[in-house]
């Protein structure tokens, strides 16, 4: 596996880059905006294609690079269900998995530092964001932080992982880089407590100042969605009502860009064709399945995904590739469901 632990020194943030092979797909966890150029360069140097950019939670100390990386690489942006951000491509929750070629992260919901904190586990390691640090834990005094939730996440989600699991945190302010679950259970001074009340007693008396840029950074991180006022996208967006009319009148190919797991969990629009976003280029190249379906490029196509971000990116890619009659569903399946439009269960992929 290709694994890089990258450090941003102003806010002491760790960012993780993972890939399974040179020439293959990569994902990045908790990227920092100011380091975007560095990530792009490193991806090129390691011959990796970034396909997913993930944040463990809405950060209060730095601006995320999720939006910038999406704009540069067309990667899928991923956050947890509980994150109050305007647009990400994909949302995950406890029990879901985040997959790329050769790598699979199991999603653990670990609130407490914030109400939207998630950890991501692999068989040998866990990325804990700000839930668990090396010999420390994330503060619980803003962004709907909660001591009882934190205690539960630490003791019932993270410390129950196998002893030898490597712990890769979202920050370290002392220069440590990695630990293990057994080490933290034994030596982390905040974890030497027997009850949630005792843990709260420690956390309530930390007396920490707020992060310097919190008032700027949190709002920025909540608004990282793609600029949908982009003229090409705006004029080719359909709302759920118009999409429903197209479905009823027939003749439009509905294309679902989501992954199989999302389709199984949420359902699909009747009769739609499945083209996973990550394989779009295969489907639209000359001779590809979608290119064949679209004929001379005049057959109407309606792209949709979970929230309208992947479909907007795909729309731009397909326009460049010569597809003429394409629209996308603004707001994705989420908006479709909110308008009470019907779904059906997909056939097994
Ligand atoms: Fe944080």
């Amino acid at each position: 596996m290709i694994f890089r632990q990258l450090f941003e020194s102003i806010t002491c943030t760790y960012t993780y880059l993972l890939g399974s092979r040179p020439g293959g797909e990569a994902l990045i966890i908790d990227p920092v905006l100011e380091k975007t150029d560095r990530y792009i360069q490193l991806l090129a140097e390691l011959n990796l294609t970034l396909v997913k950019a993930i944040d463990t939670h809405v950060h209060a100390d730095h601006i995320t690079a999720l939006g910038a990386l999406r704009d540069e690489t067309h990667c899928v942006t991923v956050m947890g269900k509980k994150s109050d951000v305007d647009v990400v491509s994909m949302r995950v929750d406890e029990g879901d998995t985040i997959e790329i070629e050769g790598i699979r992260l199991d999603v653990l919901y670990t609130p407490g530092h914030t109400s939207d904190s998630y950890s991501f586990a692999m068989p040998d390691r866990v990325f804990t964001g700000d839930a668990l640090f090396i010999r420390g834990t994330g503060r619980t005094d803003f962004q709907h932080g909660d001591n009882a939730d934190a205690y539960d996440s630490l003791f019932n989600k993270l410390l129950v992982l196998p002893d030898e699991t490597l712990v890769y945190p979202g920050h370290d302010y002392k220069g440590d880089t990695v630990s293990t679950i057994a080490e933290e259970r034994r030596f982390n001074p905040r974890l030497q407590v027997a009850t949630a009340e005792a843990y709260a007693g420690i956390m309530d008396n930390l007396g920490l100042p707020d992060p310097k840029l919190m008032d700027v950074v949190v709002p920025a991180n909540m608004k990282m969605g793609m600029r949908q006022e982009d003229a090409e996208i705006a004029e080719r967006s359909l709302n759920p009502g118009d999409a429903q009319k197209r479905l009823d009148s027939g003749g439009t190919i509905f294309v679902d860009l989501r992954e199989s797991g999302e389709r199984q969990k949420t359902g699909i629009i009747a009769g739609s064709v499945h083209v996973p976003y990550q394989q779009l280029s295969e489907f639209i190249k000359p001779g590809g399945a979608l290119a064949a379906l679209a004929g001379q490029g005049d057959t109407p196509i309606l792209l949709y995904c979970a929230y309208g971000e992947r479909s907007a990116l795909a729309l731009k890619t397909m326009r460049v590739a010569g597809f003429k009659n394409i629209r996308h569903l603004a707001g994705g399946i989420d908006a479709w469901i909110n308008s009470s439009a019907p779904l059906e269960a997909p056939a097994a992929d």
Side-chain angles (χ1 to χ4, degrees), residues 56-61 113-114 117 129-130 133 142-143 171:
T56 52
H57 62 292
V58 172
H59 298 285
D61 60 341
H113 166 60
T114 63
S117 289
D130 297 358
F133 295 143
F142 51 71
Q143 288 183 288
H171 296 282

XYZ file of all heavy atoms in Angstrom, residues 56-61 113-114 117 129-130 133 142-143 171, ligand 1:
124
model
N -12.948 14.120 8.207
C -13.490 13.403 9.369
C -14.609 14.188 10.045
O -15.469 13.617 10.704
C -12.391 13.120 10.401
O -11.709 14.349 10.695
C -11.410 12.085 9.899
N -14.568 15.524 9.911
C -15.604 16.396 10.507
C -15.407 17.811 9.969
O -14.434 18.070 9.258
C -15.522 16.392 12.032
C -14.228 16.919 12.597
N -13.017 16.277 12.455
C -13.947 18.041 13.315
C -12.062 16.977 13.048
N -12.579 18.046 13.569
N -16.333 18.724 10.271
C -16.143 20.131 9.898
C -15.076 20.707 10.835
O -15.262 20.750 12.046
C -17.459 20.926 10.035
C -17.192 22.416 9.821
C -18.493 20.438 9.019
N -13.982 21.140 10.251
C -12.849 21.611 11.058
C -13.038 23.059 11.499
O -13.635 23.867 10.780
C -11.555 21.496 10.257
C -11.223 20.084 9.876
N -10.730 19.170 10.774
C -11.346 19.418 8.707
C -10.548 18.004 10.182
N -10.914 18.132 8.910
N -12.474 23.375 12.662
C -12.579 24.746 13.194
C -11.262 25.491 13.112
O -11.214 26.694 13.378
C -13.052 24.693 14.642
N -10.197 24.795 12.737
C -8.875 25.448 12.798
C -8.260 25.670 11.426
O -7.324 26.452 11.289
C -7.921 24.634 13.684
C -7.721 23.216 13.154
O -8.553 22.747 12.344
O -6.734 22.581 13.547
N -16.201 15.205 20.039
C -15.432 16.413 19.711
C -16.357 17.388 18.977
O -16.446 18.562 19.301
C -14.233 16.030 18.865
C -13.555 17.188 18.186
N -13.005 18.245 18.880
C -13.370 17.461 16.869
C -12.513 19.119 18.015
N -12.720 18.671 16.796
N -17.039 16.875 17.964
C -18.146 17.574 17.311
C -19.257 16.544 17.132
O -18.999 15.342 17.251
C -17.769 18.116 15.908
O -17.456 16.985 15.067
C -16.575 19.059 15.952
N -18.366 14.019 13.997
C -17.035 13.394 13.905
C -17.137 11.912 13.548
O -17.875 11.157 14.181
C -16.299 13.525 15.238
O -15.919 14.869 15.468
N -9.370 11.202 13.301
C -9.729 12.622 13.261
C -9.394 13.271 14.596
O -8.295 13.072 15.126
N -10.335 14.035 15.157
C -10.079 14.667 16.454
C -10.796 13.952 17.596
O -10.960 14.488 18.686
C -10.510 16.134 16.425
C -9.705 16.933 15.415
O -8.803 16.361 14.768
O -9.974 18.141 15.266
N -6.550 11.480 20.061
C -5.189 11.895 19.723
C -4.199 10.956 20.416
O -4.590 10.097 21.210
C -4.921 13.329 20.222
C -5.754 14.387 19.545
C -6.219 15.468 20.285
C -6.053 14.325 18.194
C -6.969 16.465 19.686
C -6.804 15.323 17.584
C -7.267 16.396 18.333
N -17.160 23.068 21.674
C -17.907 23.842 20.666
C -18.350 22.907 19.553
O -18.072 21.707 19.617
C -17.104 25.031 20.127
C -15.721 24.702 19.648
C -15.511 23.993 18.489
C -14.616 25.130 20.378
C -14.241 23.702 18.044
C -13.330 24.829 19.943
C -13.143 24.123 18.788
N -19.064 23.466 18.559
C -19.584 22.664 17.430
C -20.368 21.442 17.929
O -20.171 20.335 17.451
C -18.445 22.206 16.529
C -17.837 23.327 15.700
C -16.767 22.768 14.776
O -15.681 22.390 15.201
N -17.102 22.697 13.505
N -4.537 15.418 14.421
C -3.560 16.431 14.823
C -2.556 15.801 15.768
O -2.854 14.822 16.440
C -4.214 17.574 15.640
C -5.216 18.384 14.894
N -4.881 19.364 13.996
C -6.571 18.378 14.951
C -5.986 19.931 13.522
N -7.032 19.340 14.089
Fe -11.567 19.382 14.959
